[in-house]
Amino acid sequence: MPKIVQIDVTGEIAWVRIDNPPVNATSTAVRAGLLQAVEQVQGCALAVLSCAGTTFVAGGDMSEFDAPPQEPHLPDVVAAIENSAVPFVALLHGTVLGGGFEIAMACAWRVARPDTRFGLPEVNLGLIPGAGGTQRAPRLLGWQAAFEMACLGQMKSAQELLDLGALDMVTEDLEAAVTQFKNRAKPRLSDQTIAPMTKDDETRFRDRALTFAKGRQAPLHNFDALTWASRPFAAAQPKERALHLQLRQSEESIALRHVFFAERAVTKPARLQDVPRGKIAQVAIVGGGLMGCGIAMACLMAGLSVTLIERDTEAADTAKRSVTSLLQGAVARGKISDAQLNSHLQVFRTADTYSLAAEADLAIEAVFEDLDIKRSVFENLAQTVRADTLLATNTSYLNPDEIFDGIPGPERCLGIHFFSPAHIMKLVEVVRASGTSDAALATAFTFASRLRKTPVLAGICDGFIGNRILAAYRRAAEYLLADGALPHQVDAAMRSFGMAMGPFEAQDQGGLQIAMANRRRQDATRDPDERYVDIADRICALGRLGKRTGAGWYAYPDGAKTGVRDPIVEDVIVSYARDAGLTRGSFTETDIQTQLLAAMANEGARIVEEGIAECAAVVDVVKCAGYGFPRWRGGPMHWADTVGHDAVTSALTTLEIASPGSWIRAGVFCHD
């Protein structure tokens, strides 16, 4: 087994190479190896630091963050490299992130391949850099770029850093560039001074950090640390380190690290690790609406060939224009080039016949949420595609076993549930039907990962994981309306918690008819003991179906983007309470948050108990990746673990007292 840090001296040059797969993280062993390397290269004319594999150091080893820091500490390693009598040149490729960028900044010279990307992503983990990142970055990059990287988590390209003077060279042949740095001197960054931000810049940057934060503290901590860079390095860097270590124990960082590790675990289920996977090169999509076009866009951007099938020529042409428009939008945003646009269009076609799906490796249904329509789609596909073609339904609520009943080859049938807009939203629920093979599931996971999505494994129940919890959340929110709250109060409380939108704002965005259709579908099977509040039905009966109709839970006068309180809605709520013989009370922001979060966590715990999700981490990933739950809160299950069993039980007891017979309580709340 090769050493993690290898040293090879050739003539006057010492070659120091980190080999710590998969991303060369700065583990204790790497830090110790680097410190030893600094000692061993003394006497050479130049030391060259590089990394094996596909990337330079892409950050710290977060598995060590929960334990007390172990020596040697990264700031000491970075200082040793910077203060070495033998200057270091860093050969950079892949991603240079966090501690990796701090190491690179400590080197006398930096040479990068053209496609190298740089970042200080600690802000996304509730942290600040801890080895001089916020102190060296302003000296190297200037205030603007340092702010964007440290406070906003922005990545920078090699060309951008070259333009800023932060790189000495950009070249494909890194090693060939080394000799020109022999016998050259360069001042250390830590010895340089930088004028403080102007008052205008300080105000502008702080306001921007506050807007970006959306309730998080890390962007503001990073901004504060950056301002210290105008002080002597020896005084400011220890302050940065102390704050970094303090923030490791913050609830925000613990939650963000929980989601980070949860995503990596649940997207690679243990049961699928050694399962052979099929190849997906051609995809057929049936249905050219918003969802179907979004799926097509995601597939094309991943380099797949796509055939989109619609009911007639006119609908197919409309779908083609929609997908083309999405691709053109990607060009306008700089996501793809004109050449890539043309390349994607060459492998995209629309049709009004199933025959063009004959060679598809995967066929996805994305039509209206109606069992008979979906069954008809798969009957047609089964007569057209190969016997080994995967057949996937994008249903949000319907039972895939009923959709696929009688379709030949049940082992290839499964759910691949995208979230709208499908070309943007990261979450994909891979739904295991009763006959689905592990090979089909594994292939679907690989497909979703190729689309740069976050796939999770789900079993069959009404709404699977995400929508089932959403239904419980909305039901609890409507109980609050009946008992004394108003929509704007509930929404404001959940935004204050960190949600992207409150439950009623979100319904207005998506359309109230979706939830109404689900309620009607559930009427026949709803437990008669469950409390049913028909406030939403009364709102829909007024023709108020959301923002697109100009009114829903809120009014949208003159096409306003943001809804405003509407007396009509509040009268409907008060009238419902009067008709039901209820005495409306009041709720604090904390009351609202606790009751709704407890309802979500309880439903999540039931989903785990029933085997619909393999573990609580799956629930957290689903809600954070697909439903606007703040990552810095860790998901509903992590929230429940954080506040504790007693607090959750108390909240559920309150819910049960207000709505007897309406909540089936899960047995446990702490799963991982």
Side-chain angles (χ1 to χ4, degrees), residues 35 74 142 157 165 216 243 279 282-283 321 337 378 458 478 491 508 518 522 558 606 660:
L35 202 57
L74 187 59
S157 68
R216 293 178 293 158
L243 181 55
K279 181 181 179 181
Q282 298 188 46
V283 179
R321 288 192 295 272
S337 65
F378 286 111
E478 290 172 15
D491 287 338
D508 270 7
N518 287 328
Q522 295 168 343
D558 301 321
R606 290 183 59 208

CSV table of all heavy atoms in Angstrom, one decimal, residues 35 74 142 157 165 216 243 279 282-283 321 337 378 458 478 491 508 518 522 558 606 660:
chain,number,residue,atom,x,y,z
A,35,LEU,N,3.8,17.5,7.1
A,35,LEU,CA,4.8,18.1,8.0
A,35,LEU,C,6.1,17.5,8.0
A,35,LEU,O,7.2,18.1,8.0
A,35,LEU,CB,4.2,18.1,9.5
A,35,LEU,CG,4.8,19.1,10.4
A,35,LEU,CD1,4.6,20.5,9.9
A,35,LEU,CD2,4.1,18.9,11.8
A,74,LEU,N,-3.9,21.6,11.1
A,74,LEU,CA,-3.7,22.1,9.7
A,74,LEU,C,-3.0,23.5,9.7
A,74,LEU,O,-2.2,23.8,8.8
A,74,LEU,CB,-5.0,22.1,8.9
A,74,LEU,CG,-4.9,22.5,7.5
A,74,LEU,CD1,-4.0,21.5,6.7
A,74,LEU,CD2,-6.3,22.5,6.8
A,142,GLY,N,-8.1,39.7,-3.3
A,142,GLY,CA,-8.8,41.0,-3.1
A,142,GLY,C,-10.1,40.7,-2.4
A,142,GLY,O,-10.6,39.6,-2.2
A,157,SER,N,-13.0,29.6,-11.3
A,157,SER,CA,-12.3,28.9,-12.3
A,157,SER,C,-10.8,29.2,-12.2
A,157,SER,O,-10.4,30.3,-11.7
A,157,SER,CB,-12.8,29.2,-13.7
A,157,SER,OG,-12.5,30.5,-14.0
A,165,GLY,N,-4.5,37.3,-10.5
A,165,GLY,CA,-3.1,37.2,-10.1
A,165,GLY,C,-2.9,36.2,-9.0
A,165,GLY,O,-1.8,36.1,-8.4
A,216,ARG,N,-29.1,31.3,8.4
A,216,ARG,CA,-27.9,30.7,8.8
A,216,ARG,C,-27.0,31.8,9.4
A,216,ARG,O,-27.0,33.0,9.1
A,216,ARG,CB,-27.2,30.1,7.6
A,216,ARG,CG,-27.9,28.9,7.1
A,216,ARG,CD,-27.2,28.3,5.9
A,216,ARG,NE,-27.2,29.3,4.7
A,216,ARG,CZ,-26.3,29.3,3.8
A,216,ARG,NH1,-25.3,28.4,3.8
A,216,ARG,NH2,-26.4,30.1,2.8
A,243,LEU,N,-12.5,30.4,16.2
A,243,LEU,CA,-13.9,30.5,15.8
A,243,LEU,C,-14.3,29.2,15.0
A,243,LEU,O,-15.4,28.7,15.1
A,243,LEU,CB,-14.2,31.7,15.0
A,243,LEU,CG,-15.7,31.9,14.5
A,243,LEU,CD1,-16.7,31.8,15.6
A,243,LEU,CD2,-15.8,33.2,13.7
A,279,LYS,N,-26.8,-0.4,-18.7
A,279,LYS,CA,-26.4,0.9,-19.3
A,279,LYS,C,-27.6,1.6,-19.9
A,279,LYS,O,-28.4,1.1,-20.6
A,279,LYS,CB,-25.4,0.6,-20.5
A,279,LYS,CG,-24.8,1.9,-21.1
A,279,LYS,CD,-23.9,1.5,-22.2
A,279,LYS,CE,-23.3,2.8,-23.0
A,279,LYS,NZ,-22.4,2.4,-24.1
A,282,GLN,N,-30.2,5.7,-24.2
A,282,GLN,CA,-31.3,6.2,-24.8
A,282,GLN,C,-32.5,6.2,-23.9
A,282,GLN,O,-32.8,5.1,-23.3
A,282,GLN,CB,-31.7,5.5,-26.1
A,282,GLN,CG,-30.5,5.5,-27.2
A,282,GLN,CD,-31.0,4.9,-28.5
A,282,GLN,OE1,-32.1,5.2,-29.0
A,282,GLN,NE2,-30.1,4.1,-29.1
A,283,VAL,N,-33.2,7.3,-23.8
A,283,VAL,CA,-34.4,7.4,-22.9
A,283,VAL,C,-35.6,7.8,-23.7
A,283,VAL,O,-35.5,8.8,-24.5
A,283,VAL,CB,-34.1,8.4,-21.8
A,283,VAL,CG1,-35.3,8.6,-20.9
A,283,VAL,CG2,-32.9,8.1,-21.0
A,321,ARG,N,-40.7,22.6,-28.7
A,321,ARG,CA,-40.4,24.0,-28.5
A,321,ARG,C,-40.0,24.3,-27.0
A,321,ARG,O,-39.1,25.1,-26.7
A,321,ARG,CB,-41.5,24.9,-28.9
A,321,ARG,CG,-41.7,25.0,-30.4
A,321,ARG,CD,-42.7,26.1,-30.8
A,321,ARG,NE,-44.0,25.8,-30.3
A,321,ARG,CZ,-45.0,25.1,-31.0
A,321,ARG,NH1,-44.7,24.6,-32.2
A,321,ARG,NH2,-46.2,24.9,-30.5
A,337,SER,N,-22.7,25.8,-24.0
A,337,SER,CA,-22.3,26.6,-25.1
A,337,SER,C,-23.3,26.4,-26.3
A,337,SER,O,-24.2,25.5,-26.3
A,337,SER,CB,-20.9,26.2,-25.6
A,337,SER,OG,-20.9,24.9,-26.1
A,378,PHE,N,-48.2,2.2,-20.4
A,378,PHE,CA,-47.3,1.1,-20.3
A,378,PHE,C,-47.7,-0.1,-21.1
A,378,PHE,O,-46.9,-0.9,-21.6
A,378,PHE,CB,-47.1,0.7,-18.8
A,378,PHE,CG,-46.2,1.7,-18.1
A,378,PHE,CD1,-46.8,2.5,-17.1
A,378,PHE,CD2,-44.9,1.8,-18.3
A,378,PHE,CE1,-46.0,3.4,-16.4
A,378,PHE,CE2,-44.1,2.7,-17.7
A,378,PHE,CZ,-44.6,3.5,-16.7
A,458,ALA,N,-37.3,4.2,-2.0
A,458,ALA,CA,-38.5,4.3,-1.3
A,458,ALA,C,-39.4,3.0,-1.6
A,458,ALA,O,-39.3,2.5,-2.7
A,458,ALA,CB,-39.3,5.5,-1.8
A,478,GLU,N,-53.6,22.9,8.5
A,478,GLU,CA,-55.0,23.2,8.3
A,478,GLU,C,-55.7,23.1,9.7
A,478,GLU,O,-56.7,23.8,10.0
A,478,GLU,CB,-55.6,22.4,7.2
A,478,GLU,CG,-55.1,22.8,5.9
A,478,GLU,CD,-55.5,21.9,4.7
A,478,GLU,OE1,-56.5,21.1,4.9
A,478,GLU,OE2,-54.9,22.0,3.6
A,491,ASP,N,-47.3,30.6,7.7
A,491,ASP,CA,-46.2,30.7,6.8
A,491,ASP,C,-45.0,31.5,7.3
A,491,ASP,O,-43.9,31.1,7.1
A,491,ASP,CB,-46.7,31.4,5.5
A,491,ASP,CG,-47.7,30.5,4.7
A,491,ASP,OD1,-47.6,29.3,4.8
A,491,ASP,OD2,-48.4,31.0,3.9
A,508,ASP,N,-50.1,27.7,-2.9
A,508,ASP,CA,-50.5,28.7,-3.9
A,508,ASP,C,-49.6,28.7,-5.1
A,508,ASP,O,-50.0,28.9,-6.3
A,508,ASP,CB,-50.4,30.1,-3.3
A,508,ASP,CG,-51.8,30.6,-2.7
A,508,ASP,OD1,-52.7,29.7,-2.7
A,508,ASP,OD2,-51.9,31.7,-2.3
A,518,ASN,N,-56.0,15.0,-4.4
A,518,ASN,CA,-55.5,13.9,-3.5
A,518,ASN,C,-56.5,13.7,-2.4
A,518,ASN,O,-56.8,12.5,-2.0
A,518,ASN,CB,-54.2,14.3,-2.9
A,518,ASN,CG,-53.0,14.1,-3.9
A,518,ASN,OD1,-53.1,13.3,-4.8
A,518,ASN,ND2,-52.0,15.0,-3.8
A,522,GLN,N,-58.6,10.2,-1.6
A,522,GLN,CA,-58.5,9.5,-0.3
A,522,GLN,C,-59.8,9.4,0.4
A,522,GLN,O,-59.9,8.8,1.4
A,522,GLN,CB,-57.5,10.3,0.5
A,522,GLN,CG,-56.1,10.2,0.0
A,522,GLN,CD,-55.1,11.2,0.7
A,522,GLN,OE1,-55.6,12.2,1.4
A,522,GLN,NE2,-53.8,11.0,0.6
A,558,ASP,N,-53.4,42.3,-9.7
A,558,ASP,CA,-52.6,42.7,-10.8
A,558,ASP,C,-51.4,41.9,-11.1
A,558,ASP,O,-50.4,42.3,-11.6
A,558,ASP,CB,-52.2,44.2,-10.7
A,558,ASP,CG,-53.4,45.1,-10.4
A,558,ASP,OD1,-54.4,44.9,-11.1
A,558,ASP,OD2,-53.3,46.0,-9.6
A,606,ARG,N,-42.9,6.9,11.3
A,606,ARG,CA,-43.8,5.8,10.9
A,606,ARG,C,-43.3,5.2,9.5
A,606,ARG,O,-43.4,4.0,9.3
A,606,ARG,CB,-45.2,6.4,10.7
A,606,ARG,CG,-45.9,6.7,12.0
A,606,ARG,CD,-47.3,7.2,11.7
A,606,ARG,NE,-48.1,6.2,11.1
A,606,ARG,CZ,-49.1,6.4,10.3
A,606,ARG,NH1,-49.5,7.6,10.0
A,606,ARG,NH2,-49.8,5.4,9.7
A,660,PRO,N,-58.4,14.5,18.3
A,660,PRO,CA,-58.4,13.1,18.7
A,660,PRO,C,-58.6,12.1,17.6
A,660,PRO,O,-59.4,12.4,16.7
A,660,PRO,CB,-59.6,13.1,19.7
A,660,PRO,CG,-59.8,14.5,20.1
A,660,PRO,CD,-59.5,15.3,18.9
